[in-house]
Amino acid sequence: MTTEMLRSDAERRLSKKALNRSFWTWYHGSITGYNHQVMEGMSFATAMVPIVEDLYDTEEEKRDALQTYQPLFNTEMHMGFAVVGITASLEESKARGNEAVTPDMINGVRTSLMGPLAGMGDSLIPGTYVPILLSIALGLSAGGSVLGPLFYIIAWNVTMLLFVRFLFTRGYRLGVNSAKLLVGRQAMAIRESMVMLGSIVIGALAATWITITTSFTIDLGGTHVVDGEEVANQLHLQDTLDGILPGLLSLLLVLFAWFLLAKLRISPPLVMLIFAVIAFLGVLLGFFDPGLTSY
C-alpha cells in the first residue's frame, strides 16, 4: 500500500457495515470460540476483526491492534454486547490519535466490566427473564397446545435481539462513559429488583406446577358412622398437612432441591436421580400413591 493511500487519523471512522459485522460476529460466535485458556477471548478478538480492518490501513497496524485482544475475557454473552460496543468506540478513538487510549487502557476497561456484567447478566437473564417466559409458555401449553413453545421461541429471540442491539449501540455511542450506566448504583438497584422479581416468579411457578400428595394413613382403631355407613377410624396425613399449610409437601420438595443445588453443589442430573429414588421408595412403602401424585 502506498503512502498516498493511507488515511490520516482524522479520517478513520467506523462504518455501519463494520459495526454490523462486529455485532453479528459476537451474536453468532460469542461461545463458539470458548476455550479454557482465554475463555471467550478468541470470540471477542474475532468480533473485533471487522473493527480493526475498517480502522487501519496496513497489515502491521491491524496485527498490532489485534494483539490487544489476546488476554482472557469472560462474561455473560448477552451483556457482552455492551463491552464489544464500548471497545469498538475505544479502538476508533485510539485509531484517530487519542493518546489517552492505549491497549492497556482498553484491556483494563474490558477486565473491569466483564465481572460485574457477568453477575448482572446471569441473575437477570437465565435467573429471572427465562423463568418468566417459561412460566407464561407453560400456561399456554396446557392441553398440549403448540402456542407455548411458539410463544417462547418468538418472544425470546425478538426481545433478546432488541436488547443486545440496544446494549451494543449504546456502548459504542457512549464509549467508556457507558460503564457508569452498566455498573453504577442505579444499575445495581435494577439488578436487585429484578432478582427479587425472579424469586417471586420462580416461587409462583413452583406452587403452580409442582403438586405432591401422600396417601399415608394411620389406623386409630375402632369405627365410626359416615352417611349411614360404618368406616374405620383413620388419620389421613394429607388432610392433617392441608390443615397446617396447603401444599406443604410441594414446598418441602422445592426447598430440598434448593438445598441440594445451592448448598451441597450437587449437579442437576444427580438431583433428578435422587428425586426418582425418593419417589420409587415412597410408592413402594405406601407413602405416595402413583395415581394421586404428580411431579
Side-chain angles (χ1 to χ4, degrees):
M1 181 175 292
T2 61
T3 306
E4 288 75 17
M5 296 177 61
L6 297 178
R7 294 171 293 174
S8 65
D9 291 346
E11 294 175 324
R12 298 184 180 186
R13 289 188 178 276
L14 285 171
S15 63
K16 289 184 178 181
K17 181 180 179 180
L19 290 170
N20 284 330
R21 285 180 59 199
S22 178
F23 172 84
W24 289 111
T25 300
W26 181 256
Y27 186 89
H28 293 296
S30 56
I31 301 299
T32 18
Y34 191 93
N35 60 66
H36 292 291
Q37 284 72 39
V38 293
M39 297 187 175
E40 295 172 342
M42 183 182 298
S43 299
F44 195 98
T46 305
M48 294 305 297
V49 168
I51 304 299
V52 170
E53 288 182 341
D54 201 44
L55 289 174
Y56 299 101
D57 298 318
T58 67
E59 294 301 319
E60 183 179 0
E61 287 179 318
K62 296 175 183 179
R63 183 176 62 252
D64 291 342
L66 285 176
Q67 293 293 327
T68 304
Y69 306 106
Q70 285 188 345
L72 178 145
F73 180 79
N74 189 43
T75 193
E76 200 279 325
M77 58 183 180
H78 299 96
M79 300 301 293
F81 279 91
V83 187
V84 176
I86 293 171
T87 306
S89 177
L90 293 176
E91 191 65 54
E92 182 182 45
S93 180
K94 180 168 75 73
R96 289 171 57 84
N98 187 346
E99 296 181 356
V101 181
T102 63
D104 290 339
M105 183 265 198
I106 293 176
N107 274 317
V109 171
R110 292 200 314 155
T111 304
S112 63
L113 286 178
M114 67 181 187
L117 291 184
M120 182 181 296
D122 289 341
S123 59
L124 292 183
I125 298 175
T128 302
Y129 187 56
V130 170
I132 291 175
L133 288 183
L134 285 176
S135 63
I136 299 173
L138 286 171
L140 294 175
S141 300
S145 173
V146 74
L147 289 177
L150 286 178
F151 165 81
Y152 182 81
I153 292 171
I154 295 173
W156 167 258
N157 284 284
V158 171
T159 56
M160 290 311 300
L161 178 59
L162 294 174
F163 176 64
V164 298
R165 189 71 192 187
F166 170 80
L167 288 179
F168 179 83
T169 304
R170 184 64 63 177
Y172 170 69
R173 290 180 179 175
L174 296 181
V176 71
N177 292 327
S178 60
K180 297 178 181 179
L181 299 177
L182 295 171
V183 297
R185 183 176 301 176
Q186 292 182 345
M188 293 300 103
I190 293 175
R191 174 189 172 185
E192 293 176 1
S193 301
M194 292 300 293
V195 170
M196 183 177 295
L197 175 62
S199 301
I200 295 173
V201 170
I202 293 174
L205 186 64
T208 302
W209 293 99
I210 299 177
T211 304
I212 299 179
T213 57
T214 177
S215 57
F216 184 76
T217 59
I218 300 176
D219 192 353
L220 300 177
T223 60
H224 64 283
V225 178
V226 177
D227 295 331
E229 296 184 4
E230 187 173 334
V231 297
N233 290 325
Q234 292 181 328
L235 174 65
H236 296 276
L237 180 59
Q238 185 61 48
D239 294 337
T240 303
L241 294 176
D242 289 341
I244 299 173
L245 178 65
L248 179 59
L249 289 178
S250 301
L251 174 62
L252 292 176
L253 176 71
V254 173
L255 293 177
F256 182 54
W258 170 82
F259 176 77
L260 294 177
L261 292 168
K263 297 301 181 181
L264 299 185
R265 304 291 182 181
I266 298 177
S267 64
L270 183 55
V271 171
M272 295 174 65
L273 179 61
I274 292 173
F275 285 163
V277 172
I278 292 174
F280 176 78
L281 294 177
V283 172
L284 193 65
L285 297 175
F287 189 82
F288 295 134
D289 185 346
L292 299 176
T293 306
S294 59
Y295 302 94

